[in-house]
Amino acid sequence: MAKLVTIFGGSGFVGRHIARRMAKDGWRVRVAVRNPNLAMHVKPYGAVGQVEPVFCNIRDDVSVREVLTGADAVVNCVGVLVESGKNSFEAVQAEGPGRVARIAAEMGIDRMVQISAIGADAGSSSGYARSKAAGEAAVLASVPGAMILRPSVIFGPGDSFFNRFADMAKFGPVLPITGADTKFQPVYVDDVAAAAELYLLGRAEGGVYELGGPEVKTFRQLMRDMLSVIRKRRAVMSLPGFAARGMAWSFDMLQKGTGGLFVNHMLTRDQLKNLARDNVVSEGAKGFADLGIAPAAMAAVLPGYLWRFRTDGQYAVLKDGADDLKA
């Protein structure tokens, strides 16, 4: 019988790319999510019955144990950028991975991939970064041979980075950002999935890998690149520190004051702490080169999905061709 991998958060941005690759490799894929009805888009990744969404709450032992039954390997992609209700950084990104790894070890599963993030640091002032580090430690404590993947900001169709700011660029002549000089090393989502795939197939060793693309750019430079792709002229404005802190505080208080009815996906105080430090691969860290993967450049991928933000959308290419013929 084909091997089985359980992917927690397997219908999300990174998880679905890993699911697709593992299905293509002939594995059965169990996609563990909170709402299976919203994860049906993963089923066509394989043959009938090969990829199945199932219910799981990563905060519950019984739920996790059920979806790990019979699995040969496990991947945890679950994470939150904003705390909301019971889904705190501690519960989801520290206790959650630890629970998955502990139960996996009890069930004899010794192959696990944990999707973390560059900047994971137990001593950070950011709750997000501290919880990521705690999750890594908990995973390695139970599954010492696990693979920890720490990507920089991830891009690709459906990302929440370039798509978000391209959408913002539709309104007004100014694109406001904070942390304009912070450096990032954007990485293509399918390259992250390829790294996980190599390990799951036994073609790569476990350990901590920091994943960044071939280019290091500031936040401001990335926004200008994005604007060039969508062919819009906008002034990239760096918000003063006091203004950014005021906005973040206001949005956080609005979320708290509404009892979570409003979730702050705009800008949080914790995100400001993360934006205060560069998000690039550390010197000497293991990465794509150790896996034999040549990461894709942004220029090769961004036009393929950001075209929808151009004024002429997909017809911009046809218009350019017509203009060339006239010339």
Side-chain angles (χ1 to χ4, degrees):
M1 182 178 290
K3 289 187 175 181
L4 170 66
V5 59
T6 296
I7 306 178
F8 292 84
S11 65
F13 182 44
V14 176
R16 64 177 180 262
H17 283 265
I18 299 176
R20 180 183 59 80
R21 280 181 169 268
M22 297 311 296
K24 188 176 180 180
D25 290 323
W27 283 51
R28 291 178 295 137
V29 182
R30 184 178 289 158
V31 175
V33 292
R34 285 186 297 172
N35 194 333
N37 290 331
L38 298 180
M40 293 301 171
H41 57 276
V42 301
K43 291 176 71 69
Y45 291 169
V48 176
Q50 185 181 2
V51 182
E52 286 296 330
V54 296
F55 169 78
C56 179
N57 184 342
I58 200 172
R59 302 193 311 269
D60 178 69
D61 276 35
V62 174
S63 181
V64 170
R65 190 177 298 276
E66 286 182 354
V67 299
L68 285 178
T69 300
D72 298 284
V74 57
V75 180
N76 180 40
C77 302
V78 179
V80 291
L81 291 174
V82 179
E83 295 181 295
S84 178
K86 295 181 180 180
N87 293 319
S88 65
F89 291 144
E90 180 67 22
V92 176
Q93 297 181 163
E95 295 174 3
R99 176 176 294 107
V100 171
R102 170 176 55 81
I103 295 175
E106 291 172 0
M107 301 180 75
I109 303 170
D110 61 0
R111 192 159 289 273
M112 176 173 178
V113 177
Q114 167 68 16
I115 305 298
S116 186
I118 284 180
D121 180 1
S124 174
S125 61
S126 161
Y128 175 87
R130 289 197 306 273
S131 66
K132 283 292 189 180
E136 292 181 3
V139 167
L140 293 174
S142 294
V143 186
M147 169 182 266
I148 308 293
L149 296 181
R150 293 178 175 175
S152 183
V153 62
I154 306 177
F155 68 90
D159 69 42
S160 58
F161 184 71
F162 287 113
N163 276 293
R164 174 188 176 187
F165 288 101
D167 193 49
M168 288 173 59
K170 293 189 297 186
F171 309 101
V174 175
L175 180 63
I177 62 173
T178 184
D181 295 322
T182 300
K183 295 178 181 178
F184 292 88
Q185 196 169 349
V187 57
Y188 179 40
V189 61
D190 200 49
D191 289 335
V192 177
E197 176 190 28
L198 287 175
Y199 169 80
L200 293 172
L201 296 179
R203 299 173 186 170
E205 297 179 350
V208 179
Y209 293 81
E210 296 196 356
L211 306 181
E215 301 165 279
V216 174
K217 294 192 174 185
T218 65
F219 195 175
R220 180 185 287 105
Q221 290 172 325
L222 291 176
M223 292 299 96
R224 287 174 176 168
D225 287 348
M226 177 273 294
L227 289 169
S228 177
V229 170
I230 66 174
R231 303 179 184 181
K232 292 187 183 296
R233 294 183 179 180
R234 299 290 185 269
V236 180
M237 182 184 71
S238 179
L239 294 174
F242 73 88
R245 289 190 295 271
M247 288 177 59
W249 182 87
S250 298
F251 289 136
D252 281 347
M253 290 304 102
L254 181 58
Q255 176 171 322
K256 185 176 181 180
T258 59
L261 292 177
F262 166 81
V263 180
N264 181 11
H265 292 297
M266 301 296 291
L267 180 65
T268 70
R269 288 172 292 176
D270 196 78
Q271 288 169 349
L272 283 180
K273 295 174 182 178
N274 284 317
L275 283 169
R277 59 185 296 180
D278 291 339
N279 194 266
V280 299
V281 173
S282 306
E283 185 176 352
K286 291 198 296 184
F288 281 127
D290 300 276
L291 297 169
I293 297 174
M298 289 181 288
V301 180
L302 294 184
Y305 68 95
L306 291 183
W307 57 262
R308 67 190 184 93
F309 294 101
R310 295 173 180 170
T311 302
D312 297 316
Q314 62 183 316
Y315 299 104
V317 175
L318 297 178
K319 182 178 178 182
D320 290 346
D323 291 340
D324 290 340
L325 290 175
K326 292 178 181 179

